[in-house]
Amino acid sequence: MTALPSVSVVGLGKLGACIAACFADKGFEVVGSDVSSHTVELVNQGRPPVTEPGLPEMLARSRGRLRATQDAGEAVHATDATFIVVPTPSNDEGGFSISYVIDAARSIGRALRDKKGYHLVVLTSTVLPGSTEYGMVPVLEQESGKRCGEDFGVCYSPEFIALGQVIRDFLNPEFLLIGEFDARSGEKLSAIYKSVCDNDPSVARMSLVNAELTKISVNAYVTMRISFANMVAALSEQLPGGDVDTVTGALGFDTRIGSRYLKGAVAYGGPCFPRDNQALAYLARQLGQKASLAEAVHAFNESTNQRLAERVLELVPEGGSVAVLGLSYKPDSNVIEEAAGFLLVRSLVEAGARVTVHDPMAMDAVRQVLGDSIAYASGVADAVQGKDVVVIANPDRAYAGLDLASIPRSTVVVDAWRMLRKQAAAAAAPNYIGLGLGEDNQRLARALAGMWTDPAGARS
Ligand SMILES: NC(=O)c1ccc[n+]([C@@H]2O[C@H](COP(=O)([O-])OP(=O)(O)OC[C@H]3O[C@@H](n4cnc5c(N)ncnc54)[C@H](O)[C@@H]3O)[C@@H](O)[C@H]2O)c1
């Protein structure tokens, strides 16, 4: 058996720390590097620098195979391949800044100058087309005095992971996306992934620029599906007996469509979907092409957040109280960036409602932004108690177990994910509103009948 190459990971944040731990767990010798001394210290103590399920156990298991340093050059010297996983913040127009990537490339390039043998540099951070070849490669060549494709190789290989399941997603990818400067670079990276993945994914190898476009296209496409399902949910709600689950369930049977990300619930959020969609629109504008498709998805998503806030506010009496359950953008995460539950809380507070919140992991993150303007519940039961309205904003298992019978009928339960719909139907709970479900009432029926009554036509 050939020995595994050693790898370095530059940037030990939400994604990089997990990647480093996964490699070490699979037997690779790993050197992590981060500009933060605190992060480096934690990793060297075998403690997680970020919150992510499974990471503490993996770091504890990997001691001896994973160490960290603030010196990226040292990490490069000690290893055969380097993954760059630094932030690429969005700018006001929707593009990504690559300033951190360039900083990292400078350090890596300087280290390559006196490093013997071939080295592979893999950019994992999300970037716009052209960034790797025309932004990063020239810096590596200039700082190292060496030639890409001869002395070192370069790949662009982003990850499709969701926070809360980064380790599972990294080890079991849907497919591997490898943008390669040349075939040698791509082959080296394929071999590395083959040694680390638990599954046997398809590998899409292509040029750097095609891989960069693929990454943002995948996420932008998913945002379009989520928005489509949210539109169907909004329509279902206005039809007598309308039921988004029935409709999307049938849509999913069509193999041209498929069922994933076709739920119909809240707006998409988090650190990737909104900004990758915006980046695709930005790219289209930069290239002189129509950006209207991605822009419409973005605008529709914002309207979905507003619609939820309006729907909830309609139900809250003057000076009334609301509990929002689920603040992070998805279960098992403490990230509230663009998260529907968090944005709802902010809108409700702005509208003057008294808001109590609950989330299994994201309370501290919300407290840092909203401070004393809201109340923080000690548990789900505490959050729900005595409220006029309770909103379930993310599908966390903590809320699936909510017992509607224990909630007084004076409290309206708004269930954006319809997790409790069977329970509500069995109990015929009048205080339950499953979003995306049209009431079976006469108001909706009359409105629908009115649309098809044509008095002029009836006379002729
Ligand atoms: N978090 C996600 O869900 C996710 C998913 C897919 C892709 N990505 C992409 O991965 C990249 C990283 O995202 P993240 O969420 O891990 O970011 P993060 O902010 O959690 O972590 C980035 C880390 O890089 C470190 N860093 C910054 N500059 C550095 C440098 N020059 N040298 C060494 N370390 C440096 C920071 O100190 C930090 O620890 C971004 O481009 C992001 O778009 C993130």
Side-chain angles (χ1 to χ4, degrees), residues 10-16 33-36 39 50 85-88 100 103-104 124-126 159 161-163 215 271-272 275 329:
V10 176
L12 297 170
K14 295 184 284 298
L15 184 52
S33 167
D34 202 287
V35 287
S36 156
T39 294
V50 293
V85 202
V86 298
T88 47
Y100 295 97
D103 284 350
T124 302
S125 304
T126 306
E159 292 296 331
I161 55 93
L163 297 178
K215 155 68 172 143
C272 287
R275 75 190 206 106
Y329 85 102

PDB file of all heavy atoms in Angstrom, residues 10-16 33-36 39 50 85-88 100 103-104 124-126 159 161-163 215 271-272 275 329, ligand 1:
ATOM      1  N   VAL A  10      -5.112  25.496   5.377  1.00  0.00           N
ATOM      2  CA  VAL A  10      -4.913  26.898   5.774  1.00  0.00           C
ATOM      3  C   VAL A  10      -6.286  27.532   5.970  1.00  0.00           C
ATOM      4  O   VAL A  10      -7.058  27.662   5.023  1.00  0.00           O
ATOM      5  CB  VAL A  10      -4.099  27.655   4.702  1.00  0.00           C
ATOM      6  CG1 VAL A  10      -3.985  29.134   5.063  1.00  0.00           C
ATOM      7  CG2 VAL A  10      -2.722  27.033   4.560  1.00  0.00           C
ATOM      8  N   GLY A  11      -6.600  27.885   7.206  1.00  0.00           N
ATOM      9  CA  GLY A  11      -7.934  28.385   7.558  1.00  0.00           C
ATOM     10  C   GLY A  11      -8.681  27.291   8.293  1.00  0.00           C
ATOM     11  O   GLY A  11      -9.167  26.344   7.669  1.00  0.00           O
ATOM     12  N   LEU A  12      -8.730  27.397   9.633  1.00  0.00           N
ATOM     13  CA  LEU A  12      -9.349  26.335  10.448  1.00  0.00           C
ATOM     14  C   LEU A  12     -10.668  26.822  11.038  1.00  0.00           C
ATOM     15  O   LEU A  12     -10.892  26.760  12.242  1.00  0.00           O
ATOM     16  CB  LEU A  12      -8.382  25.899  11.559  1.00  0.00           C
ATOM     17  CG  LEU A  12      -7.064  25.287  11.073  1.00  0.00           C
ATOM     18  CD1 LEU A  12      -6.079  25.112  12.231  1.00  0.00           C
ATOM     19  CD2 LEU A  12      -7.312  23.954  10.372  1.00  0.00           C
ATOM     20  N   GLY A  13     -11.549  27.321  10.162  1.00  0.00           N
ATOM     21  CA  GLY A  13     -12.856  27.811  10.608  1.00  0.00           C
ATOM     22  C   GLY A  13     -13.910  26.724  10.500  1.00  0.00           C
ATOM     23  O   GLY A  13     -13.609  25.532  10.651  1.00  0.00           O
ATOM     24  N   LYS A  14     -15.139  27.132  10.216  1.00  0.00           N
ATOM     25  CA  LYS A  14     -16.278  26.200  10.229  1.00  0.00           C
ATOM     26  C   LYS A  14     -16.065  25.041   9.256  1.00  0.00           C
ATOM     27  O   LYS A  14     -16.423  23.920   9.540  1.00  0.00           O
ATOM     28  CB  LYS A  14     -17.571  26.957   9.880  1.00  0.00           C
ATOM     29  CG  LYS A  14     -17.935  28.002  10.935  1.00  0.00           C
ATOM     30  CD  LYS A  14     -19.253  28.674  10.655  1.00  0.00           C
ATOM     31  CE  LYS A  14     -19.196  29.696   9.551  1.00  0.00           C
ATOM     32  NZ  LYS A  14     -18.309  30.850   9.801  1.00  0.00           N
ATOM     33  N   LEU A  15     -15.457  25.319   8.110  1.00  0.00           N
ATOM     34  CA  LEU A  15     -15.216  24.265   7.126  1.00  0.00           C
ATOM     35  C   LEU A  15     -13.814  23.657   7.292  1.00  0.00           C
ATOM     36  O   LEU A  15     -13.663  22.437   7.340  1.00  0.00           O
ATOM     37  CB  LEU A  15     -15.406  24.859   5.721  1.00  0.00           C
ATOM     38  CG  LEU A  15     -15.297  23.940   4.522  1.00  0.00           C
ATOM     39  CD1 LEU A  15     -16.195  22.721   4.656  1.00  0.00           C
ATOM     40  CD2 LEU A  15     -15.659  24.709   3.244  1.00  0.00           C
ATOM     41  N   GLY A  16     -12.806  24.528   7.390  1.00  0.00           N
ATOM     42  CA  GLY A  16     -11.413  24.047   7.417  1.00  0.00           C
ATOM     43  C   GLY A  16     -11.106  23.149   8.604  1.00  0.00           C
ATOM     44  O   GLY A  16     -10.388  22.149   8.458  1.00  0.00           O
ATOM     45  N   SER A  33      -3.296  25.416   9.702  1.00  0.00           N
ATOM     46  CA  SER A  33      -2.719  26.737   9.926  1.00  0.00           C
ATOM     47  C   SER A  33      -3.840  27.769   9.982  1.00  0.00           C
ATOM     48  O   SER A  33      -4.795  27.697   9.195  1.00  0.00           O
ATOM     49  CB  SER A  33      -1.749  27.050   8.787  1.00  0.00           C
ATOM     50  OG  SER A  33      -1.429  28.415   8.821  1.00  0.00           O
ATOM     51  N   ASP A  34      -3.734  28.694  10.921  1.00  0.00           N
ATOM     52  CA  ASP A  34      -4.728  29.764  11.004  1.00  0.00           C
ATOM     53  C   ASP A  34      -4.036  31.007  11.544  1.00  0.00           C
ATOM     54  O   ASP A  34      -3.083  30.911  12.321  1.00  0.00           O
ATOM     55  CB  ASP A  34      -5.885  29.348  11.925  1.00  0.00           C
ATOM     56  CG  ASP A  34      -7.147  30.143  11.635  1.00  0.00           C
ATOM     57  OD1 ASP A  34      -7.189  31.343  11.988  1.00  0.00           O
ATOM     58  OD2 ASP A  34      -8.087  29.580  11.048  1.00  0.00           O
ATOM     59  N   VAL A  35      -4.530  32.172  11.121  1.00  0.00           N
ATOM     60  CA  VAL A  35      -3.956  33.427  11.628  1.00  0.00           C
ATOM     61  C   VAL A  35      -4.351  33.652  13.088  1.00  0.00           C
ATOM     62  O   VAL A  35      -3.693  34.415  13.796  1.00  0.00           O
ATOM     63  CB  VAL A  35      -4.397  34.651  10.775  1.00  0.00           C
ATOM     64  CG1 VAL A  35      -3.694  34.655   9.432  1.00  0.00           C
ATOM     65  CG2 VAL A  35      -5.917  34.685  10.592  1.00  0.00           C
ATOM     66  N   SER A  36      -5.383  32.979  13.556  1.00  0.00           N
ATOM     67  CA  SER A  36      -5.846  33.159  14.937  1.00  0.00           C
ATOM     68  C   SER A  36      -5.054  32.264  15.893  1.00  0.00           C
ATOM     69  O   SER A  36      -5.086  31.035  15.784  1.00  0.00           O
ATOM     70  CB  SER A  36      -7.338  32.825  15.015  1.00  0.00           C
ATOM     71  OG  SER A  36      -7.686  32.461  16.323  1.00  0.00           O
ATOM     72  N   THR A  39      -7.360  29.855  17.814  1.00  0.00           N
ATOM     73  CA  THR A  39      -7.752  28.673  17.035  1.00  0.00           C
ATOM     74  C   THR A  39      -6.632  27.637  17.043  1.00  0.00           C
ATOM     75  O   THR A  39      -6.861  26.438  17.274  1.00  0.00           O
ATOM     76  CB  THR A  39      -8.091  29.094  15.583  1.00  0.00           C
ATOM     77  OG1 THR A  39      -9.266  29.916  15.615  1.00  0.00           O
ATOM     78  CG2 THR A  39      -8.331  27.909  14.675  1.00  0.00           C
ATOM     79  N   VAL A  50     -14.545  25.504  16.460  1.00  0.00           N
ATOM     80  CA  VAL A  50     -15.893  25.886  16.004  1.00  0.00           C
ATOM     81  C   VAL A  50     -16.879  24.835  16.515  1.00  0.00           C
ATOM     82  O   VAL A  50     -16.480  23.729  16.897  1.00  0.00           O
ATOM     83  CB  VAL A  50     -15.983  25.947  14.459  1.00  0.00           C
ATOM     84  CG1 VAL A  50     -15.139  27.065  13.893  1.00  0.00           C
ATOM     85  CG2 VAL A  50     -15.598  24.602  13.824  1.00  0.00           C
ATOM     86  N   VAL A  85      -8.771  27.276   2.902  1.00  0.00           N
ATOM     87  CA  VAL A  85     -10.192  27.331   3.297  1.00  0.00           C
ATOM     88  C   VAL A  85     -10.426  28.618   4.110  1.00  0.00           C
ATOM     89  O   VAL A  85     -10.900  28.587   5.242  1.00  0.00           O
ATOM     90  CB  VAL A  85     -10.612  26.090   4.115  1.00  0.00           C
ATOM     91  CG1 VAL A  85     -12.130  25.913   4.043  1.00  0.00           C
ATOM     92  CG2 VAL A  85      -9.920  24.833   3.625  1.00  0.00           C
ATOM     93  N   VAL A  86     -10.057  29.740   3.524  1.00  0.00           N
ATOM     94  CA  VAL A  86     -10.167  31.034   4.215  1.00  0.00           C
ATOM     95  C   VAL A  86     -11.457  31.736   3.756  1.00  0.00           C
ATOM     96  O   VAL A  86     -12.053  31.354   2.746  1.00  0.00           O
ATOM     97  CB  VAL A  86      -8.924  31.914   3.933  1.00  0.00           C
ATOM     98  CG1 VAL A  86      -7.659  31.248   4.470  1.00  0.00           C
ATOM     99  CG2 VAL A  86      -8.786  32.216   2.451  1.00  0.00           C
ATOM    100  N   PRO A  87     -11.888  32.766   4.482  1.00  0.00           N
ATOM    101  CA  PRO A  87     -13.141  33.432   4.088  1.00  0.00           C
ATOM    102  C   PRO A  87     -13.017  34.150   2.746  1.00  0.00           C
ATOM    103  O   PRO A  87     -11.935  34.624   2.382  1.00  0.00           O
ATOM    104  CB  PRO A  87     -13.356  34.471   5.204  1.00  0.00           C
ATOM    105  CG  PRO A  87     -12.419  34.108   6.295  1.00  0.00           C
ATOM    106  CD  PRO A  87     -11.295  33.358   5.683  1.00  0.00           C
ATOM    107  N   THR A  88     -14.148  34.216   2.035  1.00  0.00           N
ATOM    108  CA  THR A  88     -14.235  35.023   0.803  1.00  0.00           C
ATOM    109  C   THR A  88     -15.504  35.876   0.934  1.00  0.00           C
ATOM    110  O   THR A  88     -16.539  35.556   0.323  1.00  0.00           O
ATOM    111  CB  THR A  88     -14.303  34.125  -0.442  1.00  0.00           C
ATOM    112  OG1 THR A  88     -15.264  33.084  -0.224  1.00  0.00           O
ATOM    113  CG2 THR A  88     -12.965  33.512  -0.777  1.00  0.00           C
ATOM    114  N   TYR A 100      -8.371  37.467   1.361  1.00  0.00           N
ATOM    115  CA  TYR A 100      -7.794  36.478   2.294  1.00  0.00           C
ATOM    116  C   TYR A 100      -7.103  35.344   1.515  1.00  0.00           C
ATOM    117  O   TYR A 100      -6.098  34.794   1.960  1.00  0.00           O
ATOM    118  CB  TYR A 100      -8.877  35.877   3.197  1.00  0.00           C
ATOM    119  CG  TYR A 100      -9.512  36.869   4.140  1.00  0.00           C
ATOM    120  CD1 TYR A 100     -10.717  37.488   3.833  1.00  0.00           C
ATOM    121  CD2 TYR A 100      -8.908  37.190   5.358  1.00  0.00           C
ATOM    122  CE1 TYR A 100     -11.316  38.395   4.701  1.00  0.00           C
ATOM    123  CE2 TYR A 100      -9.486  38.098   6.231  1.00  0.00           C
ATOM    124  CZ  TYR A 100     -10.689  38.696   5.889  1.00  0.00           C
ATOM    125  OH  TYR A 100     -11.272  39.598   6.740  1.00  0.00           O
ATOM    126  N   ASP A 103      -3.742  36.675   0.525  1.00  0.00           N
ATOM    127  CA  ASP A 103      -2.831  36.663   1.692  1.00  0.00           C
ATOM    128  C   ASP A 103      -2.272  35.263   1.911  1.00  0.00           C
ATOM    129  O   ASP A 103      -1.065  35.067   2.106  1.00  0.00           O
ATOM    130  CB  ASP A 103      -3.572  37.072   2.974  1.00  0.00           C
ATOM    131  CG  ASP A 103      -3.823  38.567   3.029  1.00  0.00           C
ATOM    132  OD1 ASP A 103      -3.262  39.287   2.189  1.00  0.00           O
ATOM    133  OD2 ASP A 103      -4.605  38.996   3.906  1.00  0.00           O
ATOM    134  N   ALA A 104      -3.195  34.275   1.889  1.00  0.00           N
ATOM    135  CA  ALA A 104      -2.762  32.889   2.109  1.00  0.00           C
ATOM    136  C   ALA A 104      -1.821  32.447   0.991  1.00  0.00           C
ATOM    137  O   ALA A 104      -0.795  31.799   1.231  1.00  0.00           O
ATOM    138  CB  ALA A 104      -3.986  31.969   2.175  1.00  0.00           C
ATOM    139  N   THR A 124     -10.238  25.774  -1.774  1.00  0.00           N
ATOM    140  CA  THR A 124     -11.553  25.226  -1.410  1.00  0.00           C
ATOM    141  C   THR A 124     -12.584  26.340  -1.223  1.00  0.00           C
ATOM    142  O   THR A 124     -13.781  26.126  -1.425  1.00  0.00           O
ATOM    143  CB  THR A 124     -11.425  24.402  -0.100  1.00  0.00           C
ATOM    144  OG1 THR A 124     -10.468  23.376  -0.305  1.00  0.00           O
ATOM    145  CG2 THR A 124     -12.732  23.763   0.311  1.00  0.00           C
ATOM    146  N   SER A 125     -12.127  27.517  -0.817  1.00  0.00           N
ATOM    147  CA  SER A 125     -13.043  28.645  -0.584  1.00  0.00           C
ATOM    148  C   SER A 125     -13.875  28.922  -1.830  1.00  0.00           C
ATOM    149  O   SER A 125     -13.421  28.707  -2.957  1.00  0.00           O
ATOM    150  CB  SER A 125     -12.248  29.915  -0.259  1.00  0.00           C
ATOM    151  OG  SER A 125     -11.396  29.719   0.827  1.00  0.00           O
ATOM    152  N   THR A 126     -15.083  29.437  -1.622  1.00  0.00           N
ATOM    153  CA  THR A 126     -15.962  29.777  -2.747  1.00  0.00           C
ATOM    154  C   THR A 126     -15.466  31.048  -3.428  1.00  0.00           C
ATOM    155  O   THR A 126     -15.299  32.078  -2.761  1.00  0.00           O
ATOM    156  CB  THR A 126     -17.394  30.012  -2.221  1.00  0.00           C
ATOM    157  OG1 THR A 126     -17.795  28.868  -1.477  1.00  0.00           O
ATOM    158  CG2 THR A 126     -18.357  30.255  -3.360  1.00  0.00           C
ATOM    159  N   GLU A 159     -16.404  22.645  -1.527  1.00  0.00           N
ATOM    160  CA  GLU A 159     -17.202  21.614  -0.854  1.00  0.00           C
ATOM    161  C   GLU A 159     -18.670  22.009  -0.862  1.00  0.00           C
ATOM    162  O   GLU A 159     -18.996  23.181  -0.732  1.00  0.00           O
ATOM    163  CB  GLU A 159     -16.745  21.487   0.612  1.00  0.00           C
ATOM    164  CG  GLU A 159     -15.351  20.921   0.776  1.00  0.00           C
ATOM    165  CD  GLU A 159     -15.233  19.500   0.269  1.00  0.00           C
ATOM    166  OE1 GLU A 159     -16.236  18.774   0.293  1.00  0.00           O
ATOM    167  OE2 GLU A 159     -14.133  19.127  -0.169  1.00  0.00           O
ATOM    168  N   ILE A 161     -21.272  21.469   1.507  1.00  0.00           N
ATOM    169  CA  ILE A 161     -21.594  20.967   2.852  1.00  0.00           C
ATOM    170  C   ILE A 161     -22.628  21.883   3.492  1.00  0.00           C
ATOM    171  O   ILE A 161     -22.764  23.040   3.111  1.00  0.00           O
ATOM    172  CB  ILE A 161     -20.340  20.894   3.749  1.00  0.00           C
ATOM    173  CG1 ILE A 161     -19.621  22.260   3.805  1.00  0.00           C
ATOM    174  CG2 ILE A 161     -19.370  19.843   3.294  1.00  0.00           C
ATOM    175  CD1 ILE A 161     -19.998  23.128   4.901  1.00  0.00           C
ATOM    176  N   ALA A 162     -23.354  21.329   4.438  1.00  0.00           N
ATOM    177  CA  ALA A 162     -24.264  22.170   5.236  1.00  0.00           C
ATOM    178  C   ALA A 162     -23.732  22.161   6.660  1.00  0.00           C
ATOM    179  O   ALA A 162     -23.285  21.110   7.161  1.00  0.00           O
ATOM    180  CB  ALA A 162     -25.671  21.602   5.192  1.00  0.00           C
ATOM    181  N   LEU A 163     -23.751  23.324   7.308  1.00  0.00           N
ATOM    182  CA  LEU A 163     -23.308  23.373   8.694  1.00  0.00           C
ATOM    183  C   LEU A 163     -24.206  22.459   9.517  1.00  0.00           C
ATOM    184  O   LEU A 163     -25.384  22.304   9.226  1.00  0.00           O
ATOM    185  CB  LEU A 163     -23.359  24.813   9.223  1.00  0.00           C
ATOM    186  CG  LEU A 163     -22.435  25.788   8.497  1.00  0.00           C
ATOM    187  CD1 LEU A 163     -22.588  27.196   9.061  1.00  0.00           C
ATOM    188  CD2 LEU A 163     -20.976  25.345   8.577  1.00  0.00           C
ATOM    189  N   LYS A 215     -19.728  25.554  -9.014  1.00  0.00           N
ATOM    190  CA  LYS A 215     -19.995  25.693  -7.572  1.00  0.00           C
ATOM    191  C   LYS A 215     -21.145  26.660  -7.313  1.00  0.00           C
ATOM    192  O   LYS A 215     -22.110  26.328  -6.616  1.00  0.00           O
ATOM    193  CB  LYS A 215     -18.719  26.145  -6.862  1.00  0.00           C
ATOM    194  CG  LYS A 215     -18.904  26.898  -5.555  1.00  0.00           C
ATOM    195  CD  LYS A 215     -19.467  26.064  -4.395  1.00  0.00           C
ATOM    196  CE  LYS A 215     -19.437  26.836  -3.090  1.00  0.00           C
ATOM    197  NZ  LYS A 215     -20.506  26.668  -2.186  1.00  0.00           N
ATOM    198  N   PRO A 271     -24.939  30.690   5.338  1.00  0.00           N
ATOM    199  CA  PRO A 271     -23.753  31.361   4.815  1.00  0.00           C
ATOM    200  C   PRO A 271     -23.484  31.124   3.334  1.00  0.00           C
ATOM    201  O   PRO A 271     -22.608  31.772   2.770  1.00  0.00           O
ATOM    202  CB  PRO A 271     -22.618  30.766   5.661  1.00  0.00           C
ATOM    203  CG  PRO A 271     -23.122  29.421   6.050  1.00  0.00           C
ATOM    204  CD  PRO A 271     -24.603  29.506   6.155  1.00  0.00           C
ATOM    205  N   CYS A 272     -24.204  30.204   2.672  1.00  0.00           N
ATOM    206  CA  CYS A 272     -23.860  29.877   1.273  1.00  0.00           C
ATOM    207  C   CYS A 272     -24.958  30.214   0.269  1.00  0.00           C
ATOM    208  O   CYS A 272     -24.712  30.905  -0.720  1.00  0.00           O
ATOM    209  CB  CYS A 272     -23.507  28.398   1.144  1.00  0.00           C
ATOM    210  SG  CYS A 272     -21.906  28.011   1.842  1.00  0.00           S
ATOM    211  N   ARG A 275     -25.690  33.980  -0.705  1.00  0.00           N
ATOM    212  CA  ARG A 275     -24.596  34.720  -1.339  1.00  0.00           C
ATOM    213  C   ARG A 275     -24.130  34.067  -2.655  1.00  0.00           C
ATOM    214  O   ARG A 275     -23.679  34.762  -3.561  1.00  0.00           O
ATOM    215  CB  ARG A 275     -23.460  34.979  -0.350  1.00  0.00           C
ATOM    216  CG  ARG A 275     -22.579  33.835   0.000  1.00  0.00           C
ATOM    217  CD  ARG A 275     -21.661  34.193   1.159  1.00  0.00           C
ATOM    218  NE  ARG A 275     -20.450  33.387   1.124  1.00  0.00           N
ATOM    219  CZ  ARG A 275     -19.270  33.839   0.757  1.00  0.00           C
ATOM    220  NH1 ARG A 275     -19.117  35.096   0.408  1.00  0.00           N
ATOM    221  NH2 ARG A 275     -18.227  33.039   0.738  1.00  0.00           N
ATOM    222  N   TYR A 329     -30.264  28.865  10.734  1.00  0.00           N
ATOM    223  CA  TYR A 329     -30.763  28.663   9.366  1.00  0.00           C
ATOM    224  C   TYR A 329     -31.141  27.214   9.097  1.00  0.00           C
ATOM    225  O   TYR A 329     -31.830  26.922   8.123  1.00  0.00           O
ATOM    226  CB  TYR A 329     -29.755  29.193   8.344  1.00  0.00           C
ATOM    227  CG  TYR A 329     -28.643  28.243   7.947  1.00  0.00           C
ATOM    228  CD1 TYR A 329     -28.686  27.550   6.752  1.00  0.00           C
ATOM    229  CD2 TYR A 329     -27.539  28.058   8.772  1.00  0.00           C
ATOM    230  CE1 TYR A 329     -27.659  26.688   6.367  1.00  0.00           C
ATOM    231  CE2 TYR A 329     -26.516  27.204   8.409  1.00  0.00           C
ATOM    232  CZ  TYR A 329     -26.584  26.511   7.196  1.00  0.00           C
ATOM    233  OH  TYR A 329     -25.585  25.667   6.843  1.00  0.00           O
TER     234      TYR A 329
HETATM  235  N1  LIG B   1     -19.395  27.490   6.218  1.00  0.00           N
HETATM  236  C1  LIG B   1     -20.026  26.923   5.198  1.00  0.00           C
HETATM  237  O1  LIG B   1     -21.163  26.453   5.297  1.00  0.00           O
HETATM  238  C2  LIG B   1     -19.342  26.819   3.850  1.00  0.00           C
HETATM  239  C3  LIG B   1     -19.824  25.898   2.910  1.00  0.00           C
HETATM  240  C4  LIG B   1     -19.222  25.824   1.650  1.00  0.00           C
HETATM  241  C5  LIG B   1     -18.200  26.693   1.362  1.00  0.00           C
HETATM  242  N2  LIG B   1     -17.746  27.580   2.292  1.00  0.00           N
HETATM  243  C6  LIG B   1     -16.664  28.481   1.910  1.00  0.00           C
HETATM  244  O2  LIG B   1     -15.487  28.121   2.604  1.00  0.00           O
HETATM  245  C7  LIG B   1     -14.718  29.294   2.891  1.00  0.00           C
HETATM  246  C8  LIG B   1     -14.448  29.338   4.371  1.00  0.00           C
HETATM  247  O3  LIG B   1     -15.679  29.385   5.058  1.00  0.00           O
HETATM  248  P1  LIG B   1     -15.802  29.149   6.637  1.00  0.00           P
HETATM  249  O4  LIG B   1     -17.253  29.163   6.904  1.00  0.00           O
HETATM  250  O5  LIG B   1     -14.988  27.967   7.047  1.00  0.00           O
HETATM  251  O6  LIG B   1     -15.119  30.495   7.174  1.00  0.00           O
HETATM  252  P2  LIG B   1     -14.746  30.855   8.679  1.00  0.00           P
HETATM  253  O7  LIG B   1     -14.816  32.318   8.771  1.00  0.00           O
HETATM  254  O8  LIG B   1     -15.532  30.015   9.641  1.00  0.00           O
HETATM  255  O9  LIG B   1     -13.216  30.370   8.819  1.00  0.00           O
HETATM  256  C9  LIG B   1     -12.167  30.912   8.111  1.00  0.00           C
HETATM  257  C10 LIG B   1     -10.878  30.757   8.909  1.00  0.00           C
HETATM  258  O10 LIG B   1      -9.800  31.240   8.098  1.00  0.00           O
HETATM  259  C11 LIG B   1      -8.879  31.927   8.955  1.00  0.00           C
HETATM  260  N3  LIG B   1      -8.029  32.782   8.113  1.00  0.00           N
HETATM  261  C12 LIG B   1      -8.321  33.960   7.514  1.00  0.00           C
HETATM  262  N4  LIG B   1      -7.288  34.376   6.767  1.00  0.00           N
HETATM  263  C13 LIG B   1      -6.308  33.462   6.904  1.00  0.00           C
HETATM  264  C14 LIG B   1      -4.981  33.333   6.382  1.00  0.00           C
HETATM  265  N5  LIG B   1      -4.472  34.219   5.546  1.00  0.00           N
HETATM  266  N6  LIG B   1      -4.260  32.268   6.757  1.00  0.00           N
HETATM  267  C15 LIG B   1      -4.781  31.349   7.601  1.00  0.00           C
HETATM  268  N7  LIG B   1      -6.022  31.402   8.118  1.00  0.00           N
HETATM  269  C16 LIG B   1      -6.769  32.445   7.762  1.00  0.00           C
HETATM  270  C17 LIG B   1      -9.768  32.642   9.945  1.00  0.00           C
HETATM  271  O11 LIG B   1      -9.070  33.000  11.121  1.00  0.00           O
HETATM  272  C18 LIG B   1     -10.848  31.560  10.205  1.00  0.00           C
HETATM  273  O12 LIG B   1     -10.495  30.712  11.264  1.00  0.00           O
HETATM  274  C19 LIG B   1     -15.533  30.472   2.356  1.00  0.00           C
HETATM  275  O13 LIG B   1     -15.117  30.793   1.072  1.00  0.00           O
HETATM  276  C20 LIG B   1     -16.938  29.915   2.304  1.00  0.00           C
HETATM  277  O14 LIG B   1     -17.736  30.555   1.342  1.00  0.00           O
HETATM  278  C21 LIG B   1     -18.284  27.651   3.528  1.00  0.00           C
END
